[in-house]
């Protein structure tokens, strides 16, 4: 199973594998663990709003599982990547 990180600035696609146990992790920390650079200055407190992706979602406020339910194509759009 995998998600795709689409960098809107570069046009680059990065494919990131996940396991069932990753579904409960917040998307911010899941992506950081996988080496994807997601901006954050509040470490997931929901304050800085720098970790945003498409549809106004904050990666620190949604689990990977919730994201996949809302975004069936599994593509994460990051504007500054
Ligand atoms: S990391 Fe600051 S709002 Fe998400």
């Amino acid at each position: 199973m995998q998600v795709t990180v689409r960098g809107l600035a570069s046009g680059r696609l990065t494919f990131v594998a996940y396991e069932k146990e990753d579904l409960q992790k917040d998307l911010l920390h899941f992506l950081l663990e996988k080496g994807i650079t997601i901006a954050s200055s509040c470490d997931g407190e929901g304050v800085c709003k720098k970790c945003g992706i498409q549809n106004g979602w904050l990666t620190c406020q949604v689990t990977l599982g919730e994201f996949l339910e809302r975004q069936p194509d599994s593509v994460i759009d990051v504007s500054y990547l």
Side-chain angles (χ1 to χ4, degrees), residues 1-75:
M1 300 178 288
Q2 69 179 20
V3 294
T4 302
V5 178
R6 179 167 50 202
L8 299 184
S10 67
R12 184 183 313 168
L13 300 177
T14 304
F15 303 99
V16 180
Y18 65 89
E19 304 294 333
K20 186 176 180 183
E21 55 266 26
D22 292 323
L23 295 173
Q24 299 306 314
K25 296 177 180 175
D26 67 73
L27 195 52
L28 172 66
H29 288 96
F30 166 73
L31 292 171
L32 291 174
E33 286 176 14
K34 296 294 186 176
I36 305 295
T37 303
I38 300 295
S40 165
S41 60
C42 74
D43 195 31
E45 294 295 321
V47 175
C48 73
K49 313 296 187 203
K50 293 183 177 179
C51 66
I53 55 173
Q54 72 263 39
N55 301 323
W57 296 331
L58 297 175
T59 56
C60 69
Q61 301 297 307
V62 62
T63 66
L64 174 60
E66 291 167 338
F67 172 78
L68 292 170
E69 288 177 8
R70 297 176 191 177
Q71 189 73 26
D73 68 2
S74 305
V75 177

